[in-house]
Amino acid sequence: MATSAGYPPHSVENLQLNTQLDRLFHTATYLCLLGGLVLLWRAARRPHALWPAPSPARSSWGSASSASAKGVASHQVLGITV
């Protein structure tokens, strides 16, 4: 992380700084992951009402956007032509 900020890995001090910043980054990432899992666990244990069935307008919008995404992926990204 520090290498791209102007601390080239040519000295022991810069390598130690890079390692320390990497540790801090991974610690913060794991803490965010743990917090998200706690929130998910709490939400899953909470009693909740049933969700209403999707209306025809919403279901057709979802299938249209799915078809558009599939078309872009197959034609533009993968280069598949029919």
Side-chain angles (χ1 to χ4, degrees):
M1 286 175 45
T3 304
S4 63
Y7 296 95
H10 301 300
S11 68
V12 174
E13 293 83 16
N14 286 350
L15 287 173
Q16 288 175 338
L17 174 66
N18 195 15
T19 303
Q20 183 64 27
L21 290 176
D22 194 44
R23 276 190 207 117
L24 290 173
F25 172 76
H26 282 91
T27 301
T29 303
Y30 289 136
L31 288 174
C32 288
L33 176 68
L34 181 63
L37 287 173
V38 167
L39 291 174
L40 179 65
W41 181 75
R42 288 176 62 195
R45 293 184 48 96
R46 189 178 330 139
H48 44 275
L50 295 175
W51 291 0
S55 67
R58 282 193 294 171
S59 62
S60 64
W61 171 254
S63 62
S65 63
S66 174
S68 298
K70 182 180 175 185
V72 168
S74 62
H75 294 292
Q76 299 296 323
V77 177
L78 299 175
I80 298 173
T81 58
V82 178

